[in-house]
């Protein structure tokens, strides 16, 4: 049987590109060829004013044949921090339960309400675990507005979940841990320091320390030397889509980010930091091998450091 061709090239894809790929790669029960699978990664902050959950909005409206990736389930359950990367076994089991094969092309999308928010985190996770075909839809809101099909209701059982997904190896070179971040913070502004740049995706108020964190008891503020790049600034305010590469590049330059120096993305729990990482890629800004993400992000940082030791800064 001839293997069907997958027609997705870019990391960030448009609704039309996804629609064309799904049309040209209609799955059949007997075919073993690679498929194009939409994967919903909708996730909301714990203080969401409407009390929404990703599972709820997935059932209310989704791309036909889509699967759901639960960020609150596919994680390191032994960690005290909310969304640390899962073990390879947990990841493989989750992919198997979703009926995803290693050679499937995965297009990850967010909720209609948030535009681009948590999908980049799931895409980043899949890439770190070596899944070869990973893309981000830009975005589901436009998919709906442009009249592409949706469905709702309970989700049918996934076919193919019995096919084992091979246990992968995590690419640790893209992940920054607490000890390294602490060393970077202590080296900030010291003569001869490497000049690592930390970009923080949280809101300006949370970064400055004037607004509370969404998790009770967690102080707000920022790491020494970090640069605030709130996620909304990376998106089209009307559509919630990621801005074009040239606009993103201008934005990073306006923030004083140097493409010649290493960049670490951070946020509240490591979710929206991946939006910065995706935006850097779309802008072709900085060296790919020098762009990394701090997995524990602010939740870990605020619990393991303090203002007294100078590692939490607030703006007056």
């Amino acid at each position: 049987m001839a293997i069907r061709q997958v027609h997705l090239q870019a990391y960030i894809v448009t609704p039309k590109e996804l629609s064309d790929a799904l049309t040209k790669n209609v799955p059949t029960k007997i075919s073993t060829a690679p498929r194009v699978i939409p994967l919903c990664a909708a996730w909301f902050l714990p203080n969401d004013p409407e009390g929404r959950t990703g599972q709820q909005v997935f059932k209310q409206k989704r791309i036909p044949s889509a699967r759901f990736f639960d960020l609150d389930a596919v994680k390191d359950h032994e960690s005290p921090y909310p969304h640390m990367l899962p073990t390879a076994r947990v990841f493989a089991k989750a992919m198997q339960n979703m009926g995803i094969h290693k050679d499937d092309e995965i297009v990850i999308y967010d909720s209609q309400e948030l535009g681009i928010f948590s999908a980049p985190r799931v895409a980043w996770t899949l890439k770190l675990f070596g899944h070869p075909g990973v893309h981000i839809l830009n975005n589901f809101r436009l998919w709906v507005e442009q009249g592409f099909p949706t469905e709702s209701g309970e989700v049918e059982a996934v076919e193919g979940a019995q096919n084992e997904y091979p246990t992968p190896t995590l690419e640790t070179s893209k992940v920054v841990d607490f000890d390294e971040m602490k060393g970077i913070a202590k080296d900030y502004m010291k003569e001869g320091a490497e000049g690592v740049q930390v970009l923080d995706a949280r809101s300006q108020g949370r970064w400055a320390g004037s607004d509370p964190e969404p998790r009770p008891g967690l102080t707000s503020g920022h790491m020494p030397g970090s640069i605030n790049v709130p996620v909304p600034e990376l998106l089209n305010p009307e559509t919630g889509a990621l801005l074009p590469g040239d606009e993103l590049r201008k934005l990073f330059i306006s923030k004083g980010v140097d493409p010649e120096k290493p960049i670490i993305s951070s946020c509240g729990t490591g979710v929206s930091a991946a939006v910065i990482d995706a935006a850097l890629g779309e802008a072709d800004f900085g060296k790919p091998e020098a762009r990394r993400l701090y997995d524990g992000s602010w939740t870990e940082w605020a619990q393991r450091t303090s203002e007294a030791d100078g590692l939490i800064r607030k703006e007056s």
Side-chain angles (χ1 to χ4, degrees):
M1 179 178 295
I3 295 180
R4 292 166 286 123
Q5 297 296 309
V6 176
H7 300 281
L8 291 171
Q9 302 298 325
Y11 183 49
I12 309 294
V13 301
T14 67
K16 185 179 186 305
E17 288 171 333
L18 173 57
S19 177
D20 289 346
L22 290 171
T23 300
K24 295 172 183 177
N25 294 274
V26 179
T28 67
K29 292 184 177 181
I30 61 172
S31 174
T32 59
R35 302 160 298 172
V36 176
I37 297 179
L39 185 63
C40 179
W43 180 79
F44 295 86
L45 288 167
N47 66 340
D48 181 69
E50 299 178 30
R52 296 168 295 185
T53 69
Q55 285 275 13
Q56 289 172 346
V57 300
F58 177 65
K59 291 179 180 180
Q60 290 168 1
K61 186 178 292 184
R62 60 182 177 271
I63 297 173
S65 77
R67 320 289 165 83
F68 181 75
F69 189 105
D70 190 346
L71 268 169
D72 287 323
V74 189
K75 63 179 183 178
D76 181 359
H77 291 277
E78 300 300 318
S79 173
Y81 311 112
H83 295 116
M84 300 294 275
L85 282 164
T87 64
R89 287 187 177 183
V90 167
F91 174 81
K93 186 62 177 177
M95 297 292 275
Q96 178 180 329
N97 290 342
M98 290 184 287
I100 294 174
H101 305 158
K102 187 66 180 280
D103 57 357
D104 288 334
E105 289 280 317
I106 310 300
V107 181
I108 305 163
Y109 70 95
D110 267 290
S111 69
Q112 182 179 351
E113 294 83 356
L114 297 181
I116 294 287
F117 182 59
S118 49
R121 168 69 188 203
V122 174
W124 179 77
T125 300
L126 264 64
K127 291 201 300 179
L128 256 61
F129 279 109
H131 194 90
V134 181
H135 311 271
I136 297 172
L137 177 65
N138 198 22
N139 60 24
F140 186 47
R141 186 185 303 176
L142 288 175
W143 175 278
V144 174
E145 291 177 356
Q146 293 172 11
F148 294 107
T150 61
E151 62 182 18
S152 61
E154 293 299 321
V155 183
E156 295 182 2
V158 175
E159 294 183 9
Q162 72 281 1
N163 295 319
E164 184 176 357
Y165 189 96
T167 302
T169 299
L170 176 66
E171 184 185 349
T172 57
S173 64
K174 290 290 187 179
V175 188
V176 184
D177 63 16
F178 173 78
D179 289 336
E180 183 178 358
M181 285 302 304
K182 189 174 182 179
I184 290 169
K186 286 186 173 181
D187 283 344
Y188 175 64
M189 294 297 288
K190 285 185 178 179
E191 185 177 353
E194 185 182 8
V196 177
Q197 302 164 109
V198 179
L199 309 188
D200 191 325
R202 293 175 301 147
S203 67
Q204 198 278 333
R206 290 168 63 191
W207 178 87
S210 57
D211 291 344
E213 289 294 312
R215 290 168 180 79
L218 196 69
T219 187
S220 56
H222 60 271
M223 303 171 203
S226 72
I227 300 171
N228 190 211
V229 186
V231 164
E233 295 186 20
L234 303 171
L235 310 178
N236 181 304
E238 296 181 358
T239 66
L242 199 65
L243 291 171
D246 58 342
E247 293 184 34
L248 291 168
R249 188 173 184 83
K250 291 177 183 177
L251 174 65
F252 288 125
I253 291 173
S254 73
K255 296 281 184 179
V257 185
D258 186 344
E260 298 302 316
K261 294 181 179 180
I263 297 172
I264 296 173
S265 300
S266 181
C267 61
T269 65
V271 174
S272 60
V275 180
I276 292 180
D277 188 71
L280 289 166
E282 186 69 1
D284 192 22
F285 194 92
K287 301 173 182 178
E289 66 275 11
R291 299 195 300 253
R292 298 185 292 161
L293 191 149
Y294 173 30
D295 200 22
S297 283
W298 187 253
T299 300
E300 180 182 39
W301 188 262
Q303 291 185 44
R304 299 184 67 178
T305 64
S306 69
E307 288 185 70
D309 59 23
L311 295 178
I312 291 180
R313 304 286 178 86
K314 296 179 183 288
E315 299 295 301
S316 58

